[in-house]
Amino acid sequence: MLSGVFTLVLSLSCAGPARAEQTGLRAADPSVLRVGGTYIAVQSAGDGIVVRQAPSTARLGSAPARRVWSDPRGLGEVWAPEIVRDGGRHYIHFTAGRGAAHRMYVISSATPDSGYTAGTEPALPDDEWAIDGTLFTFNGQRWSGWAGDTDVEQNLYIARMSSPTTPAGTRYVVSQPREPWERVVGDPFVNEAPEAVKDPNGQLHIVYSANGSWSDRHCLADLRLRSGGDPTYVWDWYKSDGCLFGSHRATMTAGWDPTLHADGPGHHSFVLLDGDIGTSPPAGPRFPLMFHAVPKGTPYAWENRYGYTGTFCWWGGTTYSRADVPGPHTDTGWSLKFFE
């Protein structure tokens, strides 16, 4: 036992304005970071990728889009680009392909909206279908993918990286859609769109999307790595007891309320400085968030998704529980509250 080391875990009120705003970005899978006072957003656009820059998240929708990459090889659908800044360079990881041929690609540049390299395919372990790759400074990369070549179940995996473009070793599953509240919509059942963040105790969280993105049951949930845990060991991760951000009370964690204005919130961005989880916010205030959703009263369909601004904060003293698995069945620590 360590002596003289104490951790205070508590709930704090989340101060600050809470109103979310539907932006003019009629698109999915927002990825936004802050560099100084500039907010940089990346999104897929047909057969390519565009970057926008603005002095606030709310103004990204009206900012001009600069195309930074086009698909010269006819790879297919371009999905979910994610931008981070590492070692003074900007890296955009994205997926491209058709059907079971989707694979991850990466481009990089010294500037956020021009001069990117050609797309290269990281040699991901097992070379399986993969989407939603997310690079973070916990010395790993995460992506979502099927276990094989058929869409039975879509899981979350982690792999260590020796550089922002090079995996180093095998992949490890860290989450599968096995809880009843994340199996409301299937064919396949999905865990996808992982986004890393560190809580006020320095513990790693992966907030991800559950239930199909083609349904208003689409929602955000949380994986929390136990204190001192190994990110590659699945039983060191504890999953929230329901959705933390969603539209239907039946799938929400107890004490978390469903949305009022945005239907099926999903794939989000924490809008961190340089996209670095080392700059994750402290407890107390609310911090910028972007996510995609469909306006309430609008038919839920991919083509009706917009980017929304919102806020989030840390919520302490939250117990995640599980059964019939190795290790302790409960873990108490920080969770997250999301606001429209």
Side-chain angles (χ1 to χ4, degrees), residues 143-160:
W143 67 95
S144 169
W146 301 331
D149 292 325
T150 56
D151 57 341
V152 175
E153 189 174 68
Q154 193 171 308
N155 309 319
L156 298 180
Y157 298 88
I158 193 167
R160 291 187 174 93

mmCIF file of all heavy atoms in Angstrom, residues 143-160:
data_model
loop_
_atom_site.group_PDB
_atom_site.id
_atom_site.type_symbol
_atom_site.label_atom_id
_atom_site.label_comp_id
_atom_site.label_asym_id
_atom_site.label_seq_id
_atom_site.Cartn_x
_atom_site.Cartn_y
_atom_site.Cartn_z
ATOM 1 N N TRP A 143 -8.804 2.156 -33.166
ATOM 2 C CA TRP A 143 -9.660 2.172 -34.322
ATOM 3 C C TRP A 143 -10.794 1.191 -34.092
ATOM 4 O O TRP A 143 -10.739 0.336 -33.205
ATOM 5 C CB TRP A 143 -8.899 1.834 -35.602
ATOM 6 C CG TRP A 143 -8.393 0.439 -35.690
ATOM 7 C CD1 TRP A 143 -8.993 -0.625 -36.291
ATOM 8 C CD2 TRP A 143 -7.170 -0.059 -35.148
ATOM 9 N NE1 TRP A 143 -8.227 -1.749 -36.160
ATOM 10 C CE2 TRP A 143 -7.106 -1.434 -35.465
ATOM 11 C CE3 TRP A 143 -6.130 0.513 -34.426
ATOM 12 C CZ2 TRP A 143 -6.038 -2.232 -35.084
ATOM 13 C CZ3 TRP A 143 -5.070 -0.272 -34.051
ATOM 14 C CH2 TRP A 143 -5.028 -1.626 -34.377
ATOM 15 N N SER A 144 -11.831 1.331 -34.867
ATOM 16 C CA SER A 144 -12.987 0.452 -34.754
ATOM 17 C C SER A 144 -12.987 -0.495 -35.929
ATOM 18 O O SER A 144 -12.698 -0.094 -37.047
ATOM 19 C CB SER A 144 -14.263 1.302 -34.752
ATOM 20 O OG SER A 144 -15.405 0.493 -34.904
ATOM 21 N N GLY A 145 -13.330 -1.761 -35.697
ATOM 22 C CA GLY A 145 -13.326 -2.686 -36.821
ATOM 23 C C GLY A 145 -14.031 -3.980 -36.520
ATOM 24 O O GLY A 145 -14.307 -4.303 -35.364
ATOM 25 N N TRP A 146 -14.328 -4.734 -37.545
ATOM 26 C CA TRP A 146 -14.874 -6.061 -37.377
ATOM 27 C C TRP A 146 -13.753 -7.016 -37.013
ATOM 28 O O TRP A 146 -12.597 -6.805 -37.335
ATOM 29 C CB TRP A 146 -15.535 -6.539 -38.669
ATOM 30 C CG TRP A 146 -16.645 -5.667 -39.137
ATOM 31 C CD1 TRP A 146 -17.468 -4.893 -38.375
ATOM 32 C CD2 TRP A 146 -17.060 -5.465 -40.486
ATOM 33 N NE1 TRP A 146 -18.362 -4.223 -39.166
ATOM 34 C CE2 TRP A 146 -18.140 -4.558 -40.474
ATOM 35 C CE3 TRP A 146 -16.632 -5.959 -41.722
ATOM 36 C CZ2 TRP A 146 -18.790 -4.147 -41.624
ATOM 37 C CZ3 TRP A 146 -17.288 -5.549 -42.875
ATOM 38 C CH2 TRP A 146 -18.365 -4.663 -42.819
ATOM 39 N N ALA A 147 -14.142 -8.114 -36.359
ATOM 40 C CA ALA A 147 -13.134 -9.108 -35.998
ATOM 41 C C ALA A 147 -12.649 -9.877 -37.225
ATOM 42 O O ALA A 147 -11.567 -10.420 -37.230
ATOM 43 C CB ALA A 147 -13.704 -10.074 -34.959
ATOM 44 N N GLY A 148 -13.458 -9.924 -38.265
ATOM 45 C CA GLY A 148 -13.069 -10.615 -39.491
ATOM 46 C C GLY A 148 -13.508 -9.824 -40.701
ATOM 47 O O GLY A 148 -13.459 -8.602 -40.694
ATOM 48 N N ASP A 149 -13.972 -10.497 -41.720
ATOM 49 C CA ASP A 149 -14.377 -9.824 -42.949
ATOM 50 C C ASP A 149 -15.889 -9.715 -43.090
ATOM 51 O O ASP A 149 -16.390 -9.307 -44.134
ATOM 52 C CB ASP A 149 -13.816 -10.572 -44.166
ATOM 53 C CG ASP A 149 -12.304 -10.464 -44.238
ATOM 54 O OD1 ASP A 149 -11.775 -9.405 -43.856
ATOM 55 O OD2 ASP A 149 -11.661 -11.433 -44.651
ATOM 56 N N THR A 150 -16.634 -10.093 -42.059
ATOM 57 C CA THR A 150 -18.084 -9.986 -42.109
ATOM 58 C C THR A 150 -18.572 -9.111 -40.962
ATOM 59 O O THR A 150 -17.974 -9.073 -39.885
ATOM 60 C CB THR A 150 -18.752 -11.371 -42.010
ATOM 61 O OG1 THR A 150 -18.316 -12.024 -40.814
ATOM 62 C CG2 THR A 150 -18.384 -12.221 -43.214
ATOM 63 N N ASP A 151 -19.690 -8.410 -41.217
ATOM 64 C CA ASP A 151 -20.143 -7.391 -40.271
ATOM 65 C C ASP A 151 -21.096 -7.959 -39.223
ATOM 66 O O ASP A 151 -22.251 -7.591 -39.128
ATOM 67 C CB ASP A 151 -20.785 -6.221 -41.019
ATOM 68 C CG ASP A 151 -21.947 -6.660 -41.889
ATOM 69 O OD1 ASP A 151 -22.039 -7.864 -42.197
ATOM 70 O OD2 ASP A 151 -22.763 -5.801 -42.254
ATOM 71 N N VAL A 152 -20.601 -8.892 -38.415
ATOM 72 C CA VAL A 152 -21.387 -9.478 -37.345
ATOM 73 C C VAL A 152 -21.361 -8.577 -36.120
ATOM 74 O O VAL A 152 -22.397 -8.309 -35.501
ATOM 75 C CB VAL A 152 -20.856 -10.878 -36.979
ATOM 76 C CG1 VAL A 152 -21.604 -11.445 -35.784
ATOM 77 C CG2 VAL A 152 -20.965 -11.807 -38.182
ATOM 78 N N GLU A 153 -20.204 -8.079 -35.781
ATOM 79 C CA GLU A 153 -20.038 -7.261 -34.581
ATOM 80 C C GLU A 153 -18.858 -6.319 -34.814
ATOM 81 O O GLU A 153 -17.829 -6.730 -35.336
ATOM 82 C CB GLU A 153 -19.772 -8.167 -33.373
ATOM 83 C CG GLU A 153 -19.804 -7.464 -32.047
ATOM 84 C CD GLU A 153 -19.667 -8.460 -30.904
ATOM 85 O OE1 GLU A 153 -18.580 -9.059 -30.762
ATOM 86 O OE2 GLU A 153 -20.653 -8.651 -30.167
ATOM 87 N N GLN A 154 -19.024 -5.080 -34.425
ATOM 88 C CA GLN A 154 -17.997 -4.064 -34.668
ATOM 89 C C GLN A 154 -17.410 -3.664 -33.317
ATOM 90 O O GLN A 154 -18.126 -3.159 -32.450
ATOM 91 C CB GLN A 154 -18.638 -2.871 -35.370
ATOM 92 C CG GLN A 154 -17.646 -1.894 -35.955
ATOM 93 C CD GLN A 154 -18.352 -0.876 -36.821
ATOM 94 O OE1 GLN A 154 -19.124 -1.222 -37.706
ATOM 95 N NE2 GLN A 154 -18.122 0.388 -36.547
ATOM 96 N N ASN A 155 -16.128 -3.897 -33.137
ATOM 97 C CA ASN A 155 -15.464 -3.763 -31.846
ATOM 98 C C ASN A 155 -14.492 -2.596 -31.829
ATOM 99 O O ASN A 155 -14.175 -2.013 -32.864
ATOM 100 C CB ASN A 155 -14.703 -5.049 -31.511
ATOM 101 C CG ASN A 155 -15.560 -6.289 -31.635
ATOM 102 O OD1 ASN A 155 -16.726 -6.290 -31.237
ATOM 103 N ND2 ASN A 155 -14.990 -7.353 -32.192
ATOM 104 N N LEU A 156 -13.967 -2.290 -30.642
ATOM 105 C CA LEU A 156 -12.904 -1.307 -30.497
ATOM 106 C C LEU A 156 -11.607 -2.023 -30.165
ATOM 107 O O LEU A 156 -11.581 -2.932 -29.336
ATOM 108 C CB LEU A 156 -13.231 -0.313 -29.382
ATOM 109 C CG LEU A 156 -14.481 0.537 -29.557
ATOM 110 C CD1 LEU A 156 -14.658 1.458 -28.353
ATOM 111 C CD2 LEU A 156 -14.425 1.349 -30.844
ATOM 112 N N TYR A 157 -10.527 -1.579 -30.813
ATOM 113 C CA TYR A 157 -9.211 -2.176 -30.627
ATOM 114 C C TYR A 157 -8.195 -1.082 -30.314
ATOM 115 O O TYR A 157 -8.390 0.087 -30.660
ATOM 116 C CB TYR A 157 -8.757 -2.908 -31.898
ATOM 117 C CG TYR A 157 -9.640 -4.055 -32.309
ATOM 118 C CD1 TYR A 157 -10.742 -3.844 -33.125
ATOM 119 C CD2 TYR A 157 -9.368 -5.354 -31.881
ATOM 120 C CE1 TYR A 157 -11.561 -4.901 -33.504
ATOM 121 C CE2 TYR A 157 -10.180 -6.411 -32.258
ATOM 122 C CZ TYR A 157 -11.280 -6.171 -33.068
ATOM 123 O OH TYR A 157 -12.090 -7.221 -33.445
ATOM 124 N N ILE A 158 -7.097 -1.500 -29.709
ATOM 125 C CA ILE A 158 -5.990 -0.591 -29.449
ATOM 126 C C ILE A 158 -4.696 -1.249 -29.916
ATOM 127 O O ILE A 158 -4.562 -2.478 -29.869
ATOM 128 C CB ILE A 158 -5.909 -0.233 -27.942
ATOM 129 C CG1 ILE A 158 -4.969 0.938 -27.701
ATOM 130 C CG2 ILE A 158 -5.514 -1.428 -27.105
ATOM 131 C CD1 ILE A 158 -5.084 1.522 -26.302
ATOM 132 N N ALA A 159 -3.775 -0.429 -30.407
ATOM 133 C CA ALA A 159 -2.450 -0.914 -30.790
ATOM 134 C C ALA A 159 -1.430 0.160 -30.445
ATOM 135 O O ALA A 159 -1.687 1.346 -30.631
ATOM 136 C CB ALA A 159 -2.385 -1.236 -32.275
ATOM 137 N N ARG A 160 -0.301 -0.239 -29.927
ATOM 138 C CA ARG A 160 0.773 0.718 -29.673
ATOM 139 C C ARG A 160 1.347 1.204 -30.999
ATOM 140 O O ARG A 160 1.352 0.484 -31.993
ATOM 141 C CB ARG A 160 1.863 0.088 -28.823
ATOM 142 C CG ARG A 160 1.421 -0.201 -27.394
ATOM 143 C CD ARG A 160 2.592 -0.658 -26.537
ATOM 144 N NE ARG A 160 2.207 -0.798 -25.138
ATOM 145 C CZ ARG A 160 1.781 -1.940 -24.593
ATOM 146 N NH1 ARG A 160 1.688 -3.025 -25.342
ATOM 147 N NH2 ARG A 160 1.439 -1.980 -23.325
#
